[in-house]
Amino acid sequence: MDALFLSRLQFAITPFIHFLFVPLTIGLAFMLAIMETVYARTGDVMYQRMAKFWGKLFLINFTAGIVTGIVLEFQFGMNWARYSEYVGDIFGSLLAIEATGFFFLESTMIGVWIFGWKKLSAKAHAAVMWLISIATCGSSFWILTANAWMQHPVGYEIRNGRAELTDLKAILLNPAAIYSIIHTVSAGMLVGAFFVMGISAWHLIRKNQERFFTISFKIALVIGTIGLVGVLGGGDLLGSEIAEAQPAKLAAMESHWETTANAPMHLLVWPDVENEENAIEFLTVPSALSILAFKDPNHEVTGLKDIPPEMRPPVAITFVNFRLMVAIGTAMIGLIGFAWLRWKKLSGPTWYLRLLVWFIPMPYIACNAGWIMTEVGRQPWLVYNVMLTKDGVTEGLQTSQVAFSLTVLTILLVLITALVIGLIVKHCRKGPETETM
Amino acid sequence: MTLEMLWFYLWGLLWAIYFVTDGFDLGVGMLLPVLGKDEVSKRTLYNATGPLWDGNEVWLITAGGVTFAAFPKTYAVMFSSFYVALTLLLVALIIRGISLEYRSKVESAGWKKLCDVCQFAGSGLIALLVGVAFANIFRGLPIEDGIFKGSFFGLLNPYGICGGVFFITIFLLHGALWLMIRTDGQLHEKARKLASVLWIAVLAVTVAFLIYSYIETNLYANYLETPGLFVIPLAAVGALIACRVFIGQNTAWKAWFASAVFIMACTFFCIVGLFPNMLPSSIDPAANSITYTAAASSPLTLKVMLGVVLLFIPLVLIYQIWAYTLFSKKVETEQLIY
């Protein structure tokens, strides 16, 4: 255990926990804006109660997102000083634009939203939530553009011993960025949708405030359906981009060992990393991987064996997380599809509503599995083909220092996660207030 | 003025705005045990900064982010040198945010007490750590070839501590003045009395810090070379005197504003004194100090970021001033949210 290993562990844990809160913020902000707009336009108080009930859950989650997010910005300089110095010209700028352009907007407006119920008109209050929603999407844009630059660096030149910006347009139009933004923001909508649908289901099983929860459920279902289309479309595009830019990641995702044209895909497969083969290959679809990755059945797909072992990402982790994400995504297609069939009768103790309650954590798991796959699959690179992870760590960093920060931050963030889950469960069970506050 | 030089002063400006904005909510947090004697007055204090603290804190993120973007080397060396201090700062930022937002969401006396402790300790620790960190920068850090050779406890030298106390004191006054704006009745009177006392403390600590800086740092070199620059510390003195006058007149907004100008002028006094260094080294300063020219990003990045800052910062200021005016009236104790 050295400073490098502990720094990596810390940067695995802290964004993982941060990313538990981000997708719900994205999805729920958008739904709250819709609910408040309906209230502002129709004057139906139920929509205001809706915004207040879901808004309370939103705020519990939002705060955790803010305080866990600060940790990330600090860590680049603290643990990854050589990385920061090497790529700050580009990566630092993208983070700074996120802060000045969007993080400011959401953080300022959230205070106005919480304290502004009586001070602002219904329309102005709804507009504030739209600004928050726009800001959350805007933040995602810049953060993911920064991350995409690490996955697929473009628009730079190595000068003066560092990566310097040469083409901002190339960075903003980086396909890795655009596809991951579509995929991730849509995933946020899906997380928000399954969150609202799951909690609504819990109350609908008990026939609590049926109109309130039926309408909440339907709003979520529409947003979730749009999110699902975005997740699948963005994911497909992102897959092709990974195939082009990061062949090692694709091979690890699919546990694909031999370089072949007409590369098949196995529905059931398990990697045997030691012997560089698959222990299980079952239900094989011929040429499927070539088609999915390159839209061409005859296209060659690089296998792991053609990548030197030290240049391969950890195969098992990348593979398992990719499969997990896809499996949950597939389940979501089924659950959303079924919801449309039940549009007219959404109340009562049915197996479907019960399933939805238990399904609430799954989209979160899918999001974080996708994140793990993205980051672990990039290894051993920190910036793909530009800088190795081991070269990015702070020089002279002491193991004891990182052990200290890792321990303290992990304990604190885990406690916060537990607190947030506890508070959300408590307020969900309590249900919406019957009269206006 | 070159682009790099402009960025050096913009860097200073962002830190100054951070101290002015977050300064008062940190001050209010530190005043919690003094002024929050019962549940209503405690909640009044929380609600006095509740709508604004989050937006204020983003100035810290932005100051850090802009350091990363415009001066990557400074960001890298600064953040890695202060490793342990920043870990503690993160803890303070986290527990403070949590205590503000979650205090009223759990009905338990023990939880509320814990939140009050976190609010006080978090606010105090942030002020202390930021003060200690900057004082150590002014004094010179043991950096060689961009690598920190010192230790966390080395930062806790007398001058560093003096910097921490300086920050705590000016934020306390700034917070008391904000409470004069946002409270009435007894609490307002208490805040005003406290502000008068704190003003004397600020005066004393400022004088001590200025003299100590002359002994311990190189901050005065630029001033002795260009005496015209002394207008900056004079502005600070003027603002501090004005602040006392306004406290006497019980014109809270003016007093707070004077305190804001004072904090701005103090920051710029140090920034101008630091020039051209961003992180002076105490190990062979000529070879190891990190200057703004050595740390600067490429001209293209600086240009892009200048456009970003010129577009967004005025916009941020406009909507934050709007938010400030929206929440500048007295806190209504019958409608407490936090």
Side-chain angles (χ1 to χ4, degrees):
Chain A
M1 300 249 262
D2 53 2
L4 170 66
F5 176 77
L6 294 179
S7 294
R8 291 182 66 178
L9 190 58
Q10 186 173 303
F11 220 118
I13 292 170
T14 49
F16 181 90
I17 294 181
H18 176 59
F19 203 50
L20 289 174
F21 307 112
V22 174
L24 184 66
T25 300
I26 296 172
L28 215 44
F30 188 63
M31 277 183 259
L32 286 172
I34 291 172
M35 290 166 186
E36 276 211 74
T37 307
V38 176
Y39 168 63
R41 297 192 71 122
T42 64
D44 185 342
V45 187
M46 195 198 61
Y47 286 93
Q48 191 193 33
R49 283 174 51 224
M50 225 180 242
K52 283 191 173 172
F53 173 69
W54 298 111
K56 193 173 260 175
L57 304 178
F58 172 77
L59 291 174
I60 293 168
N61 172 73
F62 183 86
T63 305
I66 295 278
V67 296
T68 54
I70 301 171
V71 182
L72 304 189
E73 195 211 36
F74 278 50
Q75 261 183 107
F76 290 114
M78 288 165 69
N79 298 68
W80 305 97
R82 277 194 292 179
Y83 165 78
S84 301
E85 202 180 324
Y86 197 70
V87 303
D89 204 69
I90 295 163
F91 189 85
S93 307
L94 298 170
L95 292 196
I97 296 173
E98 188 269 333
T100 40
F102 299 94
F103 191 37
F104 255 130
L105 186 62
E106 65 182 322
S107 297
T108 309
M109 289 307 156
I110 202 80
V112 175
W113 193 81
I114 299 170
F115 286 84
W117 284 103
K118 293 234 162 74
K119 288 187 193 289
L120 298 173
S121 69
K123 273 188 187 145
H125 202 262
V128 168
M129 188 42 86
W130 278 113
L131 287 176
I132 295 171
S133 176
I134 290 166
T136 58
C137 295
S139 283
S140 317
F141 176 90
W142 292 99
I143 297 293
L144 290 170
T145 303
N147 181 265
W149 188 82
M150 298 166 76
Q151 309 289 344
H152 182 179
V154 289
Y156 71 101
E157 209 171 277
I158 304 293
R159 275 194 306 234
N160 306 315
R162 62 182 182 185
E164 293 196 347
L165 176 70
T166 54
D167 187 353
L168 182 65
K169 212 171 126 193
I171 289 173
L172 297 182
L173 297 178
N174 186 354
I178 292 171
Y179 302 152
S180 73
I181 289 160
I182 298 172
H183 186 61
T184 312
V185 172
S186 304
M189 300 294 167
L190 258 183
V191 169
F194 273 98
F195 181 83
V196 172
M197 282 158 63
I199 293 164
S200 299
W202 191 86
H203 285 284
L204 288 172
I205 292 168
R206 288 158 183 78
K207 298 191 181 276
N208 297 338
Q209 308 208 34
E210 287 185 66
R211 179 165 174 255
F212 183 101
F213 284 110
T214 309
I215 294 179
S216 296
F217 189 103
K218 286 179 178 174
I219 292 173
L221 179 57
V222 173
I223 305 299
T225 309
I226 298 167
L228 188 64
V229 173
V231 164
L232 298 177
D236 177 55
L237 292 166
L238 194 54
S240 307
E241 148 66 26
I242 291 170
E244 294 284 347
Q246 296 175 288
K249 184 190 273 182
L250 180 79
M253 281 158 64
E254 297 290 353
S255 189
H256 179 66
W257 296 94
E258 308 283 346
T259 302
T260 50
N262 301 94
M265 196 181 246
H266 320 286
L267 292 187
L268 263 180
V269 61
W270 191 257
D272 177 355
V273 179
E274 215 156 282
N275 298 315
E276 305 200 321
E277 60 181 25
N278 290 327
I280 307 169
E281 282 182 4
F282 191 56
L283 294 173
T284 303
V285 186
S287 302
L289 182 54
S290 291
I291 295 172
L292 274 175
F294 296 99
K295 313 290 173 260
D296 170 9
N298 298 317
H299 204 290
E300 190 176 89
V301 180
T302 310
L304 285 162
K305 279 188 180 171
D306 281 325
I307 299 157
E310 69 279 6
M311 286 291 124
R312 291 176 201 164
V315 176
I317 301 175
T318 313
F319 165 80
V320 167
N321 281 286
F322 175 61
R323 288 277 159 150
L324 187 59
M325 179 184 76
V326 171
I328 296 172
T330 311
M332 288 196 270
I333 300 175
L335 287 171
I336 290 220
F338 194 76
W340 284 104
L341 299 176
R342 309 269 305 203
W343 182 263
K344 290 231 165 92
K345 40 174 193 156
L346 274 169
S347 194
T350 63
W351 64 269
Y352 174 67
L353 292 179
R354 286 213 177 100
L355 187 60
L356 278 183
V357 178
W358 288 105
F359 199 77
I360 294 174
M362 301 312 275
Y364 288 94
I365 296 172
C367 282
N368 265 312
W371 170 245
I372 293 168
M373 177 213 104
T374 304
E375 293 297 286
V376 173
R378 193 190 59 232
Q379 305 301 327
W381 296 103
L382 184 49
V383 180
Y384 206 73
N385 283 339
V386 173
M387 185 181 221
L388 289 167
T389 303
K390 66 178 171 64
D391 295 332
V393 77
T394 302
E395 239 172 308
L397 187 61
Q398 287 154 22
T399 311
S400 59
Q401 293 181 323
V402 195
F404 168 67
S405 64
L406 175 67
T407 313
V408 171
L409 292 173
T410 305
I411 292 173
L412 199 54
L413 296 192
V414 169
L415 285 177
I416 289 171
T417 310
L419 176 67
V420 169
I421 294 172
L423 281 173
I424 287 183
V425 169
K426 180 189 136 191
H427 285 283
C428 282
R429 283 175 183 272
K430 217 170 102 193
E433 319 251 335
T434 31
E435 75 274 50
T436 45
M437 283 181 276
Chain B
M1 180 166 307
T2 62
L3 189 60
E4 285 88 354
M5 205 191 288
L6 179 63
W7 263 107
F8 176 82
Y9 288 108
L10 271 175
W11 176 73
L13 178 66
L14 287 171
W15 283 107
I17 299 179
Y18 169 63
F19 300 147
V20 167
T21 52
D22 216 21
F24 74 82
D25 60 60
L26 293 173
V28 172
M30 288 188 278
L31 288 172
L32 193 62
V34 185
L35 293 176
K37 287 295 175 205
D38 51 61
E39 183 62 13
V40 174
S41 56
K42 272 183 198 159
R43 292 190 69 185
T44 308
L45 259 59
Y46 278 102
N47 283 272
T49 56
L52 303 168
W53 76 273
D54 195 359
N56 291 343
E57 203 174 278
V58 182
W59 287 101
L60 173 64
I61 309 300
T62 300
V66 162
T67 313
F68 196 176
F71 302 103
K73 195 181 171 80
T74 305
Y75 169 77
V77 176
M78 186 173 164
F79 277 61
S80 55
S81 297
F82 292 137
Y83 193 93
V84 174
L86 288 181
T87 304
L88 296 174
L89 182 69
L90 283 172
V91 171
L93 287 166
I94 292 171
I95 59 172
R96 186 168 176 271
I98 294 292
S99 64
L100 261 158
E101 296 292 335
Y102 294 152
R103 186 182 187 275
S104 63
K105 293 198 166 67
V106 180
E107 286 309 324
S108 140
W111 170 252
K112 291 197 187 338
K113 201 168 267 174
L114 178 67
C115 284
D116 293 342
V117 172
C118 287
Q119 177 64 17
F120 168 74
S123 305
L125 197 57
I126 294 167
L128 178 73
L129 289 168
V130 173
V132 169
F134 272 91
N136 274 285
I137 291 176
F138 304 150
R139 186 171 172 266
L141 293 168
I143 36 179
E144 198 174 24
D145 300 323
I147 298 165
F148 184 65
K149 302 283 183 187
S151 72
F152 170 66
F153 294 103
L155 301 175
L156 302 175
N157 54 71
Y159 180 72
I161 303 279
C162 179
V165 173
F166 181 54
F167 269 63
I168 289 178
T169 324
I170 59 176
F171 288 171
L172 278 171
L173 174 63
H174 206 42
L177 296 173
W178 182 256
L179 287 177
M180 279 173 68
I181 296 174
R182 293 226 63 193
T183 59
D184 48 14
Q186 259 195 332
L187 204 52
H188 175 91
E189 272 317 302
K190 275 191 193 167
R192 189 180 159 203
K193 269 194 199 122
L194 201 60
S196 321
V197 178
L198 284 169
W199 185 87
I200 297 168
V202 168
L203 183 68
V205 179
T206 306
V207 171
F209 187 74
L210 287 178
I211 296 171
Y212 208 171
S213 296
Y214 186 75
I215 302 165
E216 275 286 311
T217 74
N218 230 349
L219 286 180
Y220 285 91
N222 289 334
Y223 292 89
L224 296 174
E225 207 170 286
T226 321
L229 289 174
F230 271 109
V231 69
I232 300 169
L234 282 178
V237 173
L240 194 57
I241 293 168
C243 182
R244 182 67 193 88
V245 173
F246 294 134
I247 296 171
Q249 292 173 352
N250 202 8
T251 41
W253 263 111
K254 285 183 187 167
W256 183 83
F257 194 72
S259 163
V261 173
F262 170 71
I263 295 173
M264 276 273 176
C266 285
T267 313
F268 268 91
F269 165 72
C270 298
I271 295 292
V272 170
L274 214 49
F275 187 87
N277 291 318
M278 299 185 91
L279 301 173
S281 166
S282 55
I283 308 171
D284 189 5
N288 287 312
S289 293
I290 292 170
T291 62
Y292 76 97
T293 39
S297 279
S298 67
L300 178 60
T301 292
L302 291 181
K303 265 183 228 156
V304 169
M305 286 309 297
L306 188 63
V308 168
V309 166
L310 290 180
L311 171 70
F312 283 119
I313 296 297
L315 213 60
V316 171
L317 287 173
I318 289 169
Y319 62 68
Q320 286 209 338
I321 289 170
W322 172 69
Y324 272 56
T325 49
L326 205 58
F327 301 108
S328 61
K329 301 216 174 58
K330 309 289 180 193
V331 177
E332 292 153 354
T333 42
E334 61 279 3
Q335 296 184 6
L336 295 172
I337 292 177
Y338 279 173

